Amino acid sequence: MSNTGMNMRGKITFYEEKNFQGRSYECMSDCSDMSSYLSRCQSCRVESGCFMVYDRTNYMGNQYYMKSGDYSDYQSMVGMRDCVRSCRMIPMHRGQYRMKIYENENFGGQSHEMMDDCNNIMDRYRMNDCQSCNVMDGHWLMYEQPQYRGKMVYMRPGEYRSFRDMGMSGIRFMSMRRITDSCN
């Protein structure tokens, strides 16, 4: 049995200027639109928990994974522009991790069930693409390039029938990693 985020709290503070200066906005849960709180974000501090931050409202656009720590020059550290517009807290997961990946949309084509990280689906499974998945247990990050590089996407438990329909057309996911950080 898994325990996903029961009563777990996270805290992230965003700052308009580098080195934690200027106006700030503290967030302890999901926030779909931060644009009314800050005009830009150039540094942040994750006091507890793990978060995904997005450069567009409603958890859209480029995504970046943030775990506990200080990011004094956020822009240069993660390569994101200065416009964090939404953030989502990642609940802590205890238990097993399971995800089934599919070569084609709508759970078609070659498939493989994963329970651990995969740094290259081509090398491990002889798959040259992943267009849908079913996350049964745990929280995962999927990357567009092998070795956990390139754009990343946060996947929580659920069925993802078409990455293209989710606004991710043109992205080929080539590596996957479990979010195993303690996030506390």
Side-chain angles (χ1 to χ4, degrees):
M1 181 173 171
S2 69
N3 174 13
T4 305
M6 298 290 193
N7 300 319
M8 301 308 284
R9 295 306 251 166
K11 180 178 175 184
I12 186 170
T13 305
F14 299 96
Y15 299 86
E16 284 191 333
E17 305 298 332
K18 294 176 184 176
N19 298 313
F20 319 109
Q21 301 296 309
R23 286 185 16 191
S24 65
Y25 175 66
E26 186 178 287
C27 193
M28 296 176 67
S29 62
D30 295 354
C31 180
S32 64
D33 187 359
M34 295 175 24
S35 59
S36 61
Y37 304 111
L38 296 174
S39 60
R40 66 179 177 270
C41 173
Q42 294 190 357
S43 59
C44 70
R45 176 174 285 136
V46 181
E47 191 172 304
S48 60
C50 298
F51 291 83
M52 287 305 290
V53 297
Y54 303 80
D55 66 359
R56 293 178 47 206
T57 60
N58 297 314
Y59 319 111
M60 301 294 286
N62 293 315
Q63 305 180 25
Y64 297 90
Y65 173 68
M66 311 293 286
K67 59 184 180 179
S68 290
D70 291 346
Y71 302 86
S72 61
D73 186 357
Y74 177 71
Q75 217 172 343
S76 67
M77 290 174 80
V78 296
M80 189 171 179
R81 299 181 327 212
D82 61 358
C83 60
V84 174
R85 296 293 180 232
S86 56
C87 73
R88 174 169 274 153
M89 189 178 81
I90 300 172
M92 185 172 170
H93 175 77
R94 294 182 185 173
Q96 67 179 355
Y97 288 77
R98 289 187 324 132
M99 174 171 62
K100 193 164 190 176
I101 59 172
Y102 297 85
E103 188 174 29
N104 300 323
E105 294 180 334
N106 295 311
F107 312 123
Q110 188 181 168
S111 67
H112 295 279
E113 186 167 318
M114 301 172 49
M115 297 180 76
D116 59 357
D117 300 349
C118 176
N119 65 3
N120 189 326
I121 64 170
M122 183 63 170
D123 289 349
R124 185 183 291 180
Y125 301 121
R126 300 293 175 239
M127 284 177 69
N128 62 4
D129 206 353
C130 173
Q131 290 297 313
S132 57
C133 74
N134 181 9
V135 177
M136 284 93 64
D137 293 301
H139 299 263
W140 297 74
L141 292 174
M142 297 179 74
Y143 297 82
E144 71 174 338
Q145 297 174 16
Q147 307 300 325
Y148 318 114
R149 291 151 67 129
K151 289 185 179 181
M152 68 177 73
V153 174
Y154 167 53
M155 307 301 268
R156 54 190 182 174
E159 292 184 346
Y160 301 89
R161 293 184 168 279
S162 170
F163 297 143
R164 183 175 43 90
D165 290 349
M166 294 169 56
M168 296 180 238
S169 60
I171 295 179
R172 293 176 46 193
F173 293 109
M174 300 304 293
S175 56
M176 295 84 185
R177 174 180 277 165
R178 300 162 297 153
I179 299 176
T180 58
D181 293 305
S182 62
C183 295
N184 55 13

